[in-house]
Amino acid sequence: MQHKEKQAVKERLDHELKDFHFTGCEKVIQKTHAKSFTEKLSSFWNKEIEVPVVPIVVAAVLLFSTISLRDDLNGEVRTTQGEREIIQIAGYAYWKDDYERAVKEYENKSEN
């Protein structure tokens, strides 16, 4: 009796769908079974890719914070020109901090 029920359902379905015809089968076959390089490339670019946003944002924040912390730790104390002092030695004008740094470097080289 199951066979008769299946047959009746199939006949009813065939009767209801007799006006619908699928005409794009060639196009679907070409996209799913690509043969040429351009068809393969088109198939590759046609894929949907899901990118998780939260891990990417967390990674970017960690990267930028690490870079800014490294710059802060390695950076020298920067002063504005208004806070810097000008000194004159042998008729030449120097920034005091630059002069002291150059003297220290010269003394270190002469010790070695």
Side-chain angles (χ1 to χ4, degrees):
M1 213 159 154
Q2 280 186 340
H3 181 65
K4 288 182 181 180
E5 289 176 6
K6 287 183 181 179
Q7 188 66 26
V9 170
K10 182 182 180 323
E11 287 176 7
R12 183 173 172 204
L13 184 62
D14 287 343
H15 178 71
E16 288 179 6
L17 297 177
K18 70 180 179 181
D19 294 331
F20 296 100
H21 297 286
F22 183 65
T23 58
C25 66
E26 287 298 321
K27 197 182 255 187
V28 171
I29 289 174
Q30 284 179 347
K31 285 191 175 187
T32 58
H33 298 82
K35 296 177 183 171
S36 71
F37 177 73
T38 55
E39 290 173 345
K40 289 179 184 177
L41 185 64
S42 174
S43 174
F44 176 76
W45 285 112
N46 198 21
K47 293 184 181 177
E48 292 183 17
I49 299 173
E50 294 182 13
V51 178
V53 175
V54 174
I56 291 174
V57 169
V58 170
V61 167
L62 287 174
L63 179 70
F64 290 128
S65 64
T66 303
I67 290 172
S68 66
L69 284 176
R70 186 181 62 186
D71 288 344
D72 289 344
L73 293 175
N74 292 339
E76 298 176 2
V77 176
R78 296 183 181 134
T79 59
T80 61
Q81 288 185 355
E83 297 172 354
R84 296 176 83 182
E85 183 180 345
I86 295 177
I87 57 174
Q88 295 221 354
I89 299 175
Y92 295 100
Y94 300 100
W95 290 112
K96 183 177 181 180
D97 55 339
D98 288 341
Y99 179 77
E100 289 173 352
R101 189 178 325 114
V103 169
K104 284 181 185 177
E105 287 178 13
Y106 180 75
E107 289 175 351
N108 288 338
K109 287 181 184 178
S110 64
E111 289 177 1
N112 294 334

